[in-house]
Amino acid sequence: MAAETDLIKLYSTRILALAADIPHHARLANPGATVKKRAPLCGSTVTVDVCVEDGRIAAFGQDVKACALGQAAAAVTGSAVVGLTLADVQAARDALRGMLKNGGPVPAAPFDGFEVLEPARDYKNRHASILLSVEATAEAMEQALQSDCA
């Protein structure tokens, strides 16, 4: 019963509010790169489209089919990435991974909204879903920077 109560607490009102209001939730018509990532354990998927101009994300879109935790993470990612560089996104990805897996600090602004997901540290089976959006964004940006459209 205690484990069930802890899991219910994990899905806080703030997480559910983020999950219900994901920014940039529509795919881009002409992306510079697209990456689809899937969490094998739970089946969550995120497809990210980016357009990069002058080394920064100029346009961003995502299609999120994930649990509330993955959706909340996608909301934080979507609200922060436009205007950022690949190094910014990679730093956020690495910090989020460290926060979840190693008890590290919350990622720095503008990704400090990930703090709402700190309780998920204890739920390793949720980590892959939480990381999907920021991982897909970093990978898409890498691809876009290598293509002729960047």
Side-chain angles (χ1 to χ4, degrees):
M1 188 70 154
E4 187 176 313
T5 302
D6 289 343
L7 191 58
I8 290 168
K9 287 180 187 174
L10 179 61
Y11 289 93
S12 70
T13 303
R14 185 151 173 239
I15 286 175
L16 296 176
L18 283 168
D21 191 24
I22 301 172
H24 305 285
H25 64 277
R27 301 280 311 275
L28 299 180
N30 270 329
T34 298
V35 169
K36 182 176 184 176
K37 305 273 293 170
R38 182 178 179 274
L41 187 61
C42 66
S44 292
T45 61
V46 172
T47 305
V48 166
D49 298 323
V50 297
C51 286
V52 175
E53 294 176 9
D54 299 322
R56 296 184 177 275
I57 296 176
F60 177 82
Q62 60 184 340
D63 180 36
V64 181
K65 299 198 178 0
C67 66
L69 298 173
Q71 291 176 37
V76 172
T77 300
S79 68
V81 297
V82 174
L84 298 183
T85 66
L86 175 58
D88 297 332
V89 176
Q90 290 172 327
R93 176 201 61 202
D94 296 346
L96 179 59
R97 188 179 294 134
M99 180 189 92
L100 292 171
K101 298 185 181 295
N102 304 319
V106 173
F111 291 97
D112 48 347
F114 282 132
E115 58 85 14
V116 72
L117 296 164
E118 281 185 291
R121 286 178 173 153
D122 297 333
Y123 299 92
K124 294 183 186 322
N125 60 337
R126 303 288 201 263
H127 292 182
S129 181
I130 292 168
L131 289 163
L132 284 176
S133 183
V134 73
E135 286 179 341
T137 302
E139 192 174 322
M141 195 164 183
E142 289 169 1
Q143 290 179 18
L145 288 169
Q146 293 174 5
S147 73
D148 292 334
C149 72

PDB file of all heavy atoms in Angstrom, residues 74-90:
ATOM      1  N   ALA A  74       8.384  16.709 -21.517  1.00  0.00           N
ATOM      2  CA  ALA A  74       8.271  17.303 -22.847  1.00  0.00           C
ATOM      3  C   ALA A  74       7.780  18.748 -22.750  1.00  0.00           C
ATOM      4  O   ALA A  74       8.197  19.616 -23.531  1.00  0.00           O
ATOM      5  CB  ALA A  74       7.333  16.474 -23.724  1.00  0.00           C
ATOM      6  N   ALA A  75       6.913  19.028 -21.789  1.00  0.00           N
ATOM      7  CA  ALA A  75       6.426  20.396 -21.598  1.00  0.00           C
ATOM      8  C   ALA A  75       7.569  21.315 -21.162  1.00  0.00           C
ATOM      9  O   ALA A  75       7.706  22.437 -21.671  1.00  0.00           O
ATOM     10  CB  ALA A  75       5.304  20.418 -20.565  1.00  0.00           C
ATOM     11  N   VAL A  76       8.399  20.845 -20.241  1.00  0.00           N
ATOM     12  CA  VAL A  76       9.545  21.651 -19.794  1.00  0.00           C
ATOM     13  C   VAL A  76      10.501  21.870 -20.961  1.00  0.00           C
ATOM     14  O   VAL A  76      10.958  22.989 -21.208  1.00  0.00           O
ATOM     15  CB  VAL A  76      10.271  20.989 -18.600  1.00  0.00           C
ATOM     16  CG1 VAL A  76      11.551  21.722 -18.261  1.00  0.00           C
ATOM     17  CG2 VAL A  76       9.345  20.932 -17.385  1.00  0.00           C
ATOM     18  N   THR A  77      10.777  20.800 -21.697  1.00  0.00           N
ATOM     19  CA  THR A  77      11.674  20.912 -22.860  1.00  0.00           C
ATOM     20  C   THR A  77      11.110  21.893 -23.870  1.00  0.00           C
ATOM     21  O   THR A  77      11.805  22.806 -24.323  1.00  0.00           O
ATOM     22  CB  THR A  77      11.892  19.529 -23.514  1.00  0.00           C
ATOM     23  OG1 THR A  77      12.474  18.641 -22.545  1.00  0.00           O
ATOM     24  CG2 THR A  77      12.791  19.616 -24.726  1.00  0.00           C
ATOM     25  N   GLY A  78       9.853  21.716 -24.239  1.00  0.00           N
ATOM     26  CA  GLY A  78       9.226  22.568 -25.245  1.00  0.00           C
ATOM     27  C   GLY A  78       9.186  24.035 -24.856  1.00  0.00           C
ATOM     28  O   GLY A  78       9.297  24.914 -25.706  1.00  0.00           O
ATOM     29  N   SER A  79       9.051  24.307 -23.571  1.00  0.00           N
ATOM     30  CA  SER A  79       8.988  25.708 -23.148  1.00  0.00           C
ATOM     31  C   SER A  79      10.361  26.368 -23.103  1.00  0.00           C
ATOM     32  O   SER A  79      10.450  27.587 -23.050  1.00  0.00           O
ATOM     33  CB  SER A  79       8.320  25.816 -21.776  1.00  0.00           C
ATOM     34  OG  SER A  79       9.129  25.257 -20.783  1.00  0.00           O
ATOM     35  N   ALA A  80      11.425  25.570 -23.172  1.00  0.00           N
ATOM     36  CA  ALA A  80      12.766  26.121 -22.975  1.00  0.00           C
ATOM     37  C   ALA A  80      13.651  26.166 -24.221  1.00  0.00           C
ATOM     38  O   ALA A  80      14.582  26.962 -24.262  1.00  0.00           O
ATOM     39  CB  ALA A  80      13.491  25.309 -21.890  1.00  0.00           C
ATOM     40  N   VAL A  81      13.411  25.323 -25.221  1.00  0.00           N
ATOM     41  CA  VAL A  81      14.448  25.083 -26.236  1.00  0.00           C
ATOM     42  C   VAL A  81      14.597  26.126 -27.342  1.00  0.00           C
ATOM     43  O   VAL A  81      15.684  26.261 -27.893  1.00  0.00           O
ATOM     44  CB  VAL A  81      14.307  23.687 -26.884  1.00  0.00           C
ATOM     45  CG1 VAL A  81      14.510  22.602 -25.863  1.00  0.00           C
ATOM     46  CG2 VAL A  81      12.989  23.543 -27.609  1.00  0.00           C
ATOM     47  N   VAL A  82      13.549  26.823 -27.681  1.00  0.00           N
ATOM     48  CA  VAL A  82      13.667  27.761 -28.804  1.00  0.00           C
ATOM     49  C   VAL A  82      14.691  28.849 -28.445  1.00  0.00           C
ATOM     50  O   VAL A  82      14.623  29.462 -27.386  1.00  0.00           O
ATOM     51  CB  VAL A  82      12.308  28.374 -29.178  1.00  0.00           C
ATOM     52  CG1 VAL A  82      12.471  29.450 -30.246  1.00  0.00           C
ATOM     53  CG2 VAL A  82      11.359  27.288 -29.677  1.00  0.00           C
ATOM     54  N   GLY A  83      15.659  29.015 -29.331  1.00  0.00           N
ATOM     55  CA  GLY A  83      16.719  29.994 -29.133  1.00  0.00           C
ATOM     56  C   GLY A  83      17.993  29.414 -28.540  1.00  0.00           C
ATOM     57  O   GLY A  83      19.003  30.106 -28.442  1.00  0.00           O
ATOM     58  N   LEU A  84      17.961  28.152 -28.162  1.00  0.00           N
ATOM     59  CA  LEU A  84      19.128  27.546 -27.519  1.00  0.00           C
ATOM     60  C   LEU A  84      20.071  26.885 -28.526  1.00  0.00           C
ATOM     61  O   LEU A  84      19.673  26.516 -29.622  1.00  0.00           O
ATOM     62  CB  LEU A  84      18.689  26.520 -26.480  1.00  0.00           C
ATOM     63  CG  LEU A  84      17.860  27.068 -25.318  1.00  0.00           C
ATOM     64  CD1 LEU A  84      17.557  25.964 -24.317  1.00  0.00           C
ATOM     65  CD2 LEU A  84      18.568  28.227 -24.633  1.00  0.00           C
ATOM     66  N   THR A  85      21.309  26.703 -28.097  1.00  0.00           N
ATOM     67  CA  THR A  85      22.330  26.036 -28.909  1.00  0.00           C
ATOM     68  C   THR A  85      22.355  24.552 -28.582  1.00  0.00           C
ATOM     69  O   THR A  85      21.772  24.098 -27.586  1.00  0.00           O
ATOM     70  CB  THR A  85      23.729  26.613 -28.611  1.00  0.00           C
ATOM     71  OG1 THR A  85      24.067  26.276 -27.251  1.00  0.00           O
ATOM     72  CG2 THR A  85      23.772  28.122 -28.814  1.00  0.00           C
ATOM     73  N   LEU A  86      23.087  23.805 -29.402  1.00  0.00           N
ATOM     74  CA  LEU A  86      23.256  22.378 -29.147  1.00  0.00           C
ATOM     75  C   LEU A  86      23.904  22.165 -27.780  1.00  0.00           C
ATOM     76  O   LEU A  86      23.476  21.296 -27.010  1.00  0.00           O
ATOM     77  CB  LEU A  86      24.107  21.729 -30.247  1.00  0.00           C
ATOM     78  CG  LEU A  86      24.456  20.260 -30.033  1.00  0.00           C
ATOM     79  CD1 LEU A  86      23.216  19.394 -29.895  1.00  0.00           C
ATOM     80  CD2 LEU A  86      25.340  19.759 -31.176  1.00  0.00           C
ATOM     81  N   ALA A  87      24.903  22.948 -27.442  1.00  0.00           N
ATOM     82  CA  ALA A  87      25.571  22.803 -26.142  1.00  0.00           C
ATOM     83  C   ALA A  87      24.589  23.019 -24.992  1.00  0.00           C
ATOM     84  O   ALA A  87      24.650  22.306 -23.979  1.00  0.00           O
ATOM     85  CB  ALA A  87      26.745  23.774 -26.031  1.00  0.00           C
ATOM     86  N   ASP A  88      23.669  23.969 -25.139  1.00  0.00           N
ATOM     87  CA  ASP A  88      22.658  24.219 -24.107  1.00  0.00           C
ATOM     88  C   ASP A  88      21.766  22.990 -23.909  1.00  0.00           C
ATOM     89  O   ASP A  88      21.483  22.584 -22.783  1.00  0.00           O
ATOM     90  CB  ASP A  88      21.758  25.405 -24.482  1.00  0.00           C
ATOM     91  CG  ASP A  88      22.473  26.730 -24.586  1.00  0.00           C
ATOM     92  OD1 ASP A  88      23.500  26.926 -23.898  1.00  0.00           O
ATOM     93  OD2 ASP A  88      22.006  27.586 -25.383  1.00  0.00           O
ATOM     94  N   VAL A  89      21.315  22.425 -25.026  1.00  0.00           N
ATOM     95  CA  VAL A  89      20.413  21.267 -24.969  1.00  0.00           C
ATOM     96  C   VAL A  89      21.146  20.043 -24.422  1.00  0.00           C
ATOM     97  O   VAL A  89      20.611  19.302 -23.598  1.00  0.00           O
ATOM     98  CB  VAL A  89      19.785  20.987 -26.352  1.00  0.00           C
ATOM     99  CG1 VAL A  89      18.924  19.730 -26.322  1.00  0.00           C
ATOM    100  CG2 VAL A  89      18.955  22.188 -26.813  1.00  0.00           C
ATOM    101  N   GLN A  90      22.379  19.839 -24.859  1.00  0.00           N
ATOM    102  CA  GLN A  90      23.157  18.709 -24.353  1.00  0.00           C
ATOM    103  C   GLN A  90      23.409  18.849 -22.854  1.00  0.00           C
ATOM    104  O   GLN A  90      23.349  17.858 -22.116  1.00  0.00           O
ATOM    105  CB  GLN A  90      24.488  18.594 -25.095  1.00  0.00           C
ATOM    106  CG  GLN A  90      24.324  18.135 -26.526  1.00  0.00           C
ATOM    107  CD  GLN A  90      25.620  18.210 -27.315  1.00  0.00           C
ATOM    108  OE1 GLN A  90      26.457  19.092 -27.086  1.00  0.00           O
ATOM    109  NE2 GLN A  90      25.778  17.289 -28.261  1.00  0.00           N
TER     110      GLN A  90
END
